[in-house]
Amino acid sequence: MSLRTGGSGRVPGMTRRIAEAAFPQGSPAIRVRDALGELFRDEDFADLFPRRGRPALSPAVLALVSILQFAEGLSDRQAALAVRARIDWKYALGLELEDPGFDHSVLSEFRDRLVEGSAETRITDAVLAAASDAGLLKLRGRQRTDSTHVLAVVRGLNRLELAGETLRAALNALAAAAPQWLTELADDEWFNRYSYRVEDYRFPQTLTERIEKGNEIGNDGMRLLQAVFHPATPGWIRQVPAVEMLRRTWVQQFQIEDETVSWRHPKNIPPAGQRLVSPYDSVARHGSKRDTDWQGWKVHITETCEPD
């Protein structure tokens, strides 16, 4: 698609009057337009589009839609609906009230063009420049950064529980995705060992017995992984997310010495900030800050702190 330029950059008169009547106190989208003006021009993205072919939607509009979409946490479908139905968005975008909008797939295509053209920073650069021109940002100001913890919606598991539940999750996923393949591989004992969630049965209490139980789980998981990565196994089975979680967990928690699978020593496992903590969340990690420990993430927040 070639580039289709936008309009004059002004908010249409009817759109302005209806928006001011509907939002006498304004809205975030309206305030963005009033404070920063026209953030983008189609010419800013001209090199990302071919000169010939079917005209594309205005990239300046799509860029601002992407910002509003991110600010409100909307999906592509929800953002496309907002362009068609919301007066404050039409005001921010400078669209006529009767503008029909566009199909939601256009947003992902626009993001692909930004990535392929290494133009991801053009949107943020334009926003920062406009905010600086409006006096909302200034160079060499004072700022402070702090962090806060965000809890993941996962159950806290010790190493033994994590290994058992990760293997159970992988077996359940394979039972749904490749039941015949799993039936031919699984031992009869696997059903008794892994048919229930780890909190529904009791693990051994002594250290020696818990190590033996962990080694048993480790051997079962390794046997499953060896079968998954066997050349004769269909490649798509390796793409099952629960199988990938099993592989990553086993790399972190177990080792092979003299063809024997065993627990890694606590000093030989990755740091807490790198270890998986749940088979159901691939990005949650163990966090610690002073006297607070949690499973999840740490978010850093920066704000300006000028005297005025």
Side-chain angles (χ1 to χ4, degrees), residues 48 111-120:
L48 305 180
R111 293 194 298 268
D112 289 342
R113 288 185 183 274
L114 291 176
V115 173
E116 292 170 2
S118 300
E120 303 95 329

Side-chain angles (χ1 to χ4, degrees), residues 13 26 48 61 66 88 131 152 165 174 196 205 220 223 304:
L48 305 180
V61 169
S66 299
D88 59 334
E165 185 63 18
L174 290 172
Y196 302 98
Q205 298 300 309
D220 291 342
R223 180 165 175 257
T304 57

